[in-house]
Amino acid sequence: MNAEITAQRVLGWAVTREGTLPSGPLWETARLGRPGRATRVLAGELARRTAATLGIGVPAPGDATTIGLGTVFLAAAVGGRGQPEPARRLAELARPAGRRAIGPRWYDLVALHGLVAAVLRDWRPPPPSSGTTTTVSTTVSGDGDEPEPLDEILLRVSPLSAVLHRPPLRKLAARATGEEVATAVELLARPRGAATLAAGLASWSPDHTVLSWRVELMRRLRADHPDAVLDIHCLARSRHGAEWDRRLSWARRALNRLGPPDPLAIATVEFWAPLFSAVRSGTELARVRPLLQGHEQALQLVRFHNLDKVGAR
């Protein structure tokens, strides 16, 4: 076992999503700079599977080995999470170079996002190594002196994940998400980009920070990209309507209880605030989105709890 085998195991797991997230040692990390064909093919397959899931078109078969090294470094870092410091250093190498988040190596970003999305879904605190432990962040912290948890680094080095999941908690706490908004705008300019954004943001999430980020992003996009915001809400109803109905019914009950409001209940209702604002400003949904149905409960809750204004919470 070495770092490349660790990366291969994590990449294979991310492709199949079978079993639990693998782990392994980070020995011989220099070999990651020249990974073998088997490792590159796994990264290419992950890019193809992720692209198909997002509906953005898959790389040509001949591109299987053209995915950059960032996904390999990140896979090794995730597999070697029991060695926190080496894992963090490896993860830092994964971020694509260049000023623009979305550059010519589009499928590099797709592969990175496929890996991060799979990992975060099954993330658990890494096991201790040499008496050292790390913790998974559960609150927004602005303390820059604490080591950044690996799960937060994953979001920082994967531009698509920072849009389709959420930015790192430190950026959310500092309200420093201009880079992520710019990435979303770049995404909208790509072929099938609007569909990709809608597919990534339309579902309910059990993490209130994820839902709150989606609200922030939609509010910042609505002035210049109103159709993109309407597409998100349309897909939320057409593809995830039953789930949203269940969650909104729960949120209504939770917000009617005595005591401090549940952040997840608030975020569940607030997700629909940009649509409420569009209707209030004169958007005729029956004309511009005739297939949008079943959203009335959500808009009623937004109005009742006065969640249509920025900072209403």
Side-chain angles (χ1 to χ4, degrees), residues 229-291:
V229 177
L230 291 176
D231 287 345
I232 293 167
H233 287 113
C234 281
L235 196 61
R237 288 304 315 169
S238 64
R239 184 176 296 178
H240 308 286
E243 175 74 358
W244 274 110
D245 286 342
R246 287 194 298 272
R247 301 303 178 177
L248 286 164
S249 294
W250 164 80
R252 184 186 67 248
R253 295 191 299 271
L255 292 175
N256 285 334
R257 298 188 189 113
L258 296 177
D262 186 311
L264 181 57
I266 291 176
T268 297
V269 175
E270 196 175 25
F271 176 88
W272 298 91
L275 183 63
F276 179 91
S277 297
V279 172
R280 188 181 58 184
S281 65
T283 300
E284 299 177 14
L285 294 181
R287 179 177 60 84
V288 299
R289 290 296 187 277
L291 298 181

Side-chain angles (χ1 to χ4, degrees), residues 22 93 116 153 221 254 287 296 305:
L93 298 175
V116 172
I153 297 177
L221 291 176
R287 179 177 60 84
E296 293 80 9
H305 293 286

Side-chain angles (χ1 to χ4, degrees), residues 37 74 110 115-116 131 159 166 222 225 245 281 285 311:
R37 177 174 174 80
L74 202 61
V110 173
L115 177 59
V116 172
R166 64 161 173 79
R222 197 168 74 84
H225 304 278
D245 286 342
S281 65
L285 294 181

Side-chain angles (χ1 to χ4, degrees), residues 83-293:
Q83 301 170 251
E85 287 306 321
R88 279 194 284 264
R89 288 196 296 271
L90 267 178
E92 294 284 357
L93 298 175
R95 183 173 177 83
R99 295 181 60 186
R100 295 179 62 210
I102 299 179
R105 299 188 68 92
W106 167 238
Y107 287 106
D108 281 354
L109 303 190
V110 173
L112 277 174
H113 174 63
L115 177 59
V116 172
V119 169
L120 291 181
R121 192 176 65 177
D122 284 17
W123 183 256
R124 297 293 184 274
S129 175
S130 302
T132 301
T133 61
T134 62
T135 58
V136 176
S137 57
T138 57
T139 59
V140 177
S141 172
D143 186 355
D145 295 330
E146 292 293 327
E148 191 173 16
L150 182 59
D151 56 325
E152 293 296 298
I153 297 177
L154 300 186
L155 292 168
R156 181 156 54 76
V157 303
S158 175
L160 277 181
S161 304
V163 171
L164 301 179
H165 185 69
R166 64 161 173 79
L169 291 175
R170 286 178 178 174
K171 298 192 76 172
L172 289 173
R175 299 187 180 277
T177 55
E179 182 180 6
E180 287 73 23
V181 174
T183 300
V185 172
E186 285 186 62
L187 180 59
L188 289 173
R190 291 191 58 85
R192 305 182 188 176
T196 301
L197 190 68
L201 303 184
S203 62
W204 181 80
S205 171
D207 184 340
H208 71 91
T209 62
V210 170
L211 291 177
S212 294
W213 157 245
R214 293 176 184 174
V215 174
E216 177 186 340
L217 179 60
M218 286 191 287
R219 280 173 166 157
R220 294 176 70 174
L221 291 176
R222 197 168 74 84
D224 295 326
H225 304 278
D227 286 343
V229 177
L230 291 176
D231 287 345
I232 293 167
H233 287 113
C234 281
L235 196 61
R237 288 304 315 169
S238 64
R239 184 176 296 178
H240 308 286
E243 175 74 358
W244 274 110
D245 286 342
R246 287 194 298 272
R247 301 303 178 177
L248 286 164
S249 294
W250 164 80
R252 184 186 67 248
R253 295 191 299 271
L255 292 175
N256 285 334
R257 298 188 189 113
L258 296 177
D262 186 311
L264 181 57
I266 291 176
T268 297
V269 175
E270 196 175 25
F271 176 88
W272 298 91
L275 183 63
F276 179 91
S277 297
V279 172
R280 188 181 58 184
S281 65
T283 300
E284 299 177 14
L285 294 181
R287 179 177 60 84
V288 299
R289 290 296 187 277
L291 298 181
L292 179 56
Q293 302 290 331

